[in-house]
Amino acid sequence: MSSYRRYRRRWPRPAEAQRPPLRRAFDFALMIVFFALVALLAARLNVRPPPELLAGRAYVIDGDTVSISGNRIRLKGIDAPELAQDCGNRQAATGCGHASRQALIGFVGGRDVRCEASGKDKYDRALATCYSGDINLNRAMVEAGQAVAYGDYHDVEAKAVRAKRGLWAIEFETPQDWRREHEAAANEQAPKSLPGPVDQLFAWLGRLLGGLW
């Protein structure tokens, strides 16, 4: 009598079912973290806060700074000579800081100014692109050679250099270099602070104890 053995065919289990539960949970958590990071990166690249709009009568402080309703605004992407800055050689020095301010006053032309601000500088001034009518004041100052490119408007600056407009017709230090030199000189000439009462007391005690030994 022949024996008959019944059997069931075992089908291979899917790889997902063969992994232990902890491994599956870890892979699922890793996938969630990955997609969260992708979403965060996309948000940072594509979503920008709307620019703050400042508009009204503007008082021109210097060649790259104006004030509207008490808000000090720095023209973004340019750097103009400081008011106290002179340019040219010693025999023919000119007040390029004042000339730059007058140029900006001319571009404003007594009209209301509107500024699209995005961020602030280290002095808490709004960084903005400003317009007077259809004139982009930032671009106009570089185009006239009354300010240098400072992160933007390098194409316009190249044209001003070739045409020898404004600053490019004379010898001048960049405003950044001028500020650095004069800040260093001011620090060297600043008087040392007098010792406070506590320092004076310790100095007196030191002289007293020193005389007792």
Side-chain angles (χ1 to χ4, degrees), residues 162-182:
R162 289 195 296 269
K164 294 184 178 181
R165 300 192 192 109
L167 296 169
W168 304 106
I170 57 178
E171 296 179 6
F172 75 97
E173 284 184 292
T174 64
Q176 185 179 28
D177 289 340
W178 190 91
R179 286 192 298 270
R180 186 182 297 115
E181 291 180 6
H182 285 73

Side-chain angles (χ1 to χ4, degrees), residues 60-66 74-75 78-83 96-105 137-138 141-142 146-147:
V60 177
I61 297 174
D62 57 29
D64 56 26
T65 312
V66 299
R74 175 72 152 78
L75 301 188
I78 74 172
D79 197 12
E82 300 296 323
L83 276 180
C96 53
H98 286 280
S100 178
R101 178 175 182 267
Q102 287 303 124
L104 184 54
I105 291 173
L137 297 176
N138 307 46
M141 288 295 290
V142 178
Q146 295 297 337

Side-chain angles (χ1 to χ4, degrees), residues 31-170:
M31 180 179 65
I32 292 176
V33 171
F34 172 76
F35 282 109
L37 289 175
V38 170
L40 180 62
L41 180 61
R44 290 181 65 88
L45 291 177
N46 297 326
V47 179
R48 295 181 180 178
E52 180 185 1
L53 183 61
L54 300 169
R57 288 286 175 177
Y59 173 75
V60 177
I61 297 174
D62 57 29
D64 56 26
T65 312
V66 299
S67 176
I68 298 177
S69 301
N71 297 299
R72 289 169 62 88
I73 302 166
R74 175 72 152 78
L75 301 188
K76 187 177 181 179
I78 74 172
D79 197 12
E82 300 296 323
L83 276 180
Q85 184 173 348
D86 289 331
C87 301
N89 55 38
R90 293 181 179 179
Q91 288 74 23
T94 60
C96 53
H98 286 280
S100 178
R101 178 175 182 267
Q102 287 303 124
L104 184 54
I105 291 173
F107 286 127
V108 170
R111 297 180 292 270
D112 283 359
V113 172
R114 68 184 190 280
C115 297
E116 298 175 358
S118 56
K120 293 189 176 184
D121 67 3
K122 63 181 181 179
Y123 301 109
D124 202 36
R125 297 176 298 186
L127 291 170
T129 303
C130 297
Y131 301 85
S132 176
D134 295 330
I135 301 174
N136 180 326
L137 297 176
N138 307 46
R139 177 177 291 271
M141 288 295 290
V142 178
E143 189 173 21
Q146 295 297 337
V148 299
Y150 196 67
D152 205 348
Y153 307 107
H154 293 285
D155 56 334
V156 178
E157 182 182 75
K159 296 178 182 178
V161 173
R162 289 195 296 269
K164 294 184 178 181
R165 300 192 192 109
L167 296 169
W168 304 106
I170 57 178

